[in-house]
């Protein structure tokens, strides 16, 4: 479906952006929202902003969504200022309110937009080979966890209900199988078998929450590598972006999702699954960085469960791709018809490899606890 044209200038006026609009670039990152980098000329000074169209099919309540994000970014800004870190303004996103005071704007097409200041002199990564950089990613997400350790999670809205409730995701897969809306069921028998064989795993963490064994924390819930901005000069992860799913969650979710995405030797949508594996050196690099900044904030049980977290987040993502494939690709953006199936297969191959390497993952984790 072609996108309806949108009026950048009109939208930016709502956010009181000064200067003359001189150009934009669409950023093809992320499966949910649409992102544009904008350039303005304000009295001969180049000013850059990021304009994002919020996917309101996924985030049905922009009020809740933006209230979470503004609260969390303000908290991080305040903590960084208290800690006297360098350049606190580059260490979290700064969103603009629009004329009515809300942090989002519905344009005449009914599309919902938000705008924040572009963080300059940084880069993002979609894949990683250097252990050092991945270790920096670990410290950045560990630090994110740390900075939010004293944030009152009860004030946050659940932007997507049961987001990492793996047992609910499993039920959603079973529903997708029953309904077979896309008519693709016969082509995914092996993937379904793989998913169903692991049902017991889907209850482990949610049962521990119910039994009060694991603390609910404020977590990011989408800790893909490409949600970190790395500084051009120091190569350190300085700013965590894509805060849509910040809400109460488990530390293992954030740790696990990072491993799922960053310690895979292949891309999330690699068609040749023989290229998929868990890189133990990358796993170790991340654990080292992550625990260097988050260790003191975590309980022993949380630390012990980190390797399982990596496996269950990978499995969960795999069943979400599979369910979306069966539902007819209604959730994740896809570039071609088999895209969700390809993604599901990489995730399941990675789960299998993690199962084979689980003892080594546990040994590595213990070294840094
Ligand atoms: C989505 O939008 P993006 O690409 O950052 C998804 C995550 C998945 C991820 C898989 C709100 O994240 O949960 O892990 O794709 N975000 C949402 O790549 O569903
Ligand atoms: Mg993202």
């Amino acid at each position: 479906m072609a996108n309806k044209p949108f009026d950048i200038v009109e939208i930016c006026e709502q956010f009181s952006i000064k200067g003359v609009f001189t150009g934009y670039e669409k950023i093809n990152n992320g499966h949910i929202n649409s992102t544009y980098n904008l350039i303005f000329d304000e009295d001969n000074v180049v000013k850059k902003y990021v304009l994002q169209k919020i996917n309101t099919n996924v985030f049905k309540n922009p009020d809740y969504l933006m209230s979470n994000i503004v609260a969390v970014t303000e908290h991080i800004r305040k903590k960084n200022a208290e800690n006297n870190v360098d350049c606190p303004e580059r260490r979290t996103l700064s969103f603009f309110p629009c004329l009515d005071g809300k942090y989002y704007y519905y344009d005449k097409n009914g599309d919902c937009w938000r705008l924040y200041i572009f963080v300059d002199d940084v880069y993002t990564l979609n894949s990683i080979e250097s252990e050092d950089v991945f270790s920096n990613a670990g410290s950045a997400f560990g630090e994110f966890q740390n900075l939010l350790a004293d944030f009152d999670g009860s004030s946050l809205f659940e932007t997507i209900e049961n987001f990492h409730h793996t047992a609910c995701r499993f039920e959603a897969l079973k529903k997708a199988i029953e309904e077979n809306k896309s008519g693709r069921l016969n082509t995914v028998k092996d993937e379904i078998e793989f998913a169903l064989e692991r049902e017991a795993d889907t209850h482990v963490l949610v049962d521990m929450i119910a039994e009060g064994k694991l603390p609910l924390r404020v977590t990011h819930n989408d800790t893909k590598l490409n949600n970190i901005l790395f500084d051009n000069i120091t190569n350190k992860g300085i700013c965590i972006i894509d805060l849509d799913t910040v809400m109460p969650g488990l530390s293992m979710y954030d740790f696990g999702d990072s491993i799922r995405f960053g310690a895979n030797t292949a891309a999330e949508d690699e068609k040749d699954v023989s290229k998929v594996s868990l890189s133990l050196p990358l796993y170790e690099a991340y654990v080292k960085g992550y625990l260097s900044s988050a260790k003191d904030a975590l309980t022993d049980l949380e630390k012990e469960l980190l390797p399982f977290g990596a496996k269950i987040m990978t499995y969960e993502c795999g069943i979400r791709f599979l369910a979306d494939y069966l539902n007819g690709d209604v959730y994740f953006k896809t570039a071609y018809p088999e895209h969700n199936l390809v993604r599901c297969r990489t995730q399941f191959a990675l789960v299998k490899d993690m199962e084979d390497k689980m003892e080594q993952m546990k040994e590595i984790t213990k070294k840094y606890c």
Side-chain angles (χ1 to χ4, degrees):
M1 204 190 336
N3 283 333
K4 281 176 275 177
F6 60 98
D7 185 342
I8 292 182
V9 173
E10 190 248 350
I11 295 167
C12 289
E13 273 167 9
Q14 295 297 317
F15 289 100
S16 306
I17 299 303
K18 299 193 195 81
V20 180
F21 169 67
T22 61
Y24 78 95
E25 181 192 7
K26 185 169 194 312
I27 304 301
N28 289 319
N29 230 349
H31 303 338
I32 307 292
N33 298 315
S34 305
T35 307
Y36 304 85
N37 286 347
L38 309 183
I39 304 174
F40 277 72
D41 179 322
E42 193 184 328
D43 300 328
N44 294 322
V45 178
V46 174
K47 291 278 173 101
K48 296 183 191 166
Y49 304 94
V50 179
L51 180 67
Q52 243 175 357
K53 182 161 84 182
I54 300 173
N55 182 332
T56 46
N57 283 331
V58 172
F59 300 105
K60 299 197 186 322
N61 190 327
D63 241 334
Y64 288 179
L65 178 75
M66 292 313 294
S67 145
N68 281 359
I69 293 178
V70 169
V72 163
T73 50
E74 272 172 8
H75 183 88
I76 293 175
R77 219 181 336 273
K78 191 173 124 244
K79 297 280 287 202
N80 277 330
E82 281 166 16
N83 297 342
N84 285 320
V85 296
D86 290 341
C87 306
E89 73 286 352
R90 296 178 72 227
R91 288 176 186 269
T92 193
L93 298 180
S94 300
F95 287 84
F96 279 65
C98 59
L99 296 174
D100 62 5
K102 295 193 170 115
Y103 282 83
Y104 58 90
Y105 169 66
Y106 277 100
D107 71 8
K108 52 184 180 298
N109 295 328
D111 290 328
C112 186
W113 299 90
R114 67 180 166 208
L115 188 133
Y116 58 90
I117 298 180
F118 180 87
V119 181
D120 234 327
D121 303 319
V122 291
Y123 59 93
T124 54
L125 293 169
N126 277 313
S127 66
I128 203 157
E129 269 132 41
S130 142
E131 287 154 32
D132 272 356
V133 177
F134 201 39
S135 188
N136 287 337
S139 339
F141 276 121
E143 180 63 4
F144 183 84
Q145 184 74 87
N146 248 351
L147 290 171
L148 291 171
D150 61 346
F151 182 93
D152 177 13
S154 66
S155 66
L156 293 177
F157 297 102
E158 209 177 345
T159 45
I160 302 181
E161 233 179 292
N162 294 325
F163 189 62
H164 280 316
H165 193 296
T166 316
C168 287
R169 296 290 187 183
F170 186 82
E171 289 309 310
L173 172 66
K174 287 208 311 212
K175 186 161 178 267
I177 295 171
E178 264 163 44
E179 294 178 347
N180 187 20
K181 286 190 186 147
S182 63
R184 289 162 161 169
L185 185 62
N186 281 333
T187 63
V188 292
K189 292 273 182 241
D190 291 349
E191 289 74 17
I192 289 173
E193 193 185 323
F194 185 94
L196 297 182
E197 274 169 1
R198 286 159 181 79
E199 180 176 4
D201 285 341
T202 69
H203 297 279
V204 173
L205 296 180
V206 289
D207 285 358
M208 286 188 188
I209 300 176
E211 291 159 12
K213 291 183 181 159
L214 289 173
L216 270 187
R217 302 191 174 276
V218 176
T219 44
H220 182 278
N221 296 306
D222 185 14
T223 48
K224 296 203 295 196
L225 184 64
N226 60 13
N227 285 331
I228 304 175
L229 302 181
F230 290 94
D231 185 88
N232 280 350
I233 310 281
T234 65
N235 294 316
K236 300 267 187 240
I238 56 153
C239 181
I240 303 296
I241 60 168
D242 196 356
L243 303 164
D244 296 324
T245 48
V246 169
M247 49 188 163
L250 297 180
S251 53
M252 288 75 81
Y253 296 160
D254 277 3
F255 174 85
D257 209 29
S258 286
I259 298 300
R260 172 190 82 74
F261 191 83
N264 184 352
T265 51
E268 188 181 81
D269 59 356
E270 169 59 57
K271 288 182 181 156
D272 178 358
V273 284
S274 72
K275 292 187 180 157
V276 173
S277 68
L278 176 83
S279 157
L280 286 172
L282 284 179
Y283 179 81
E284 177 151 4
Y286 193 88
V287 171
K288 189 173 157 203
Y290 176 79
L291 287 178
S292 74
S293 44
K295 179 161 87 175
D296 295 340
L298 304 180
T299 66
D300 287 347
L301 182 60
E302 283 179 289
K303 285 182 262 193
E304 192 187 315
L305 285 167
L306 292 175
F308 179 74
K311 178 186 146 179
I312 200 68
M313 283 298 97
T314 309
Y315 169 86
E316 183 187 281
C317 202
I319 63 173
R320 290 176 64 196
F321 289 140
L322 182 56
D324 199 35
Y325 186 69
L326 286 168
N327 288 335
D329 308 320
V330 290
Y331 186 88
F332 295 106
K333 287 188 207 161
T334 49
Y336 54 92
E338 310 296 306
H339 208 161
N340 270 321
L341 179 58
V342 166
R343 289 169 177 151
C344 159
R345 287 182 174 149
T346 61
Q347 300 309 289
F348 286 177
L350 189 57
V351 168
K352 182 74 193 56
D353 198 46
M354 287 180 184
E355 287 173 350
D356 295 342
K357 292 175 177 159
M358 191 47 74
E359 285 316 307
Q360 287 149 289
M361 290 164 74
K362 287 183 185 165
E363 280 308 310
I364 291 169
T365 312
K366 259 193 222 149
K367 266 175 40 189
Y368 297 94
C369 283

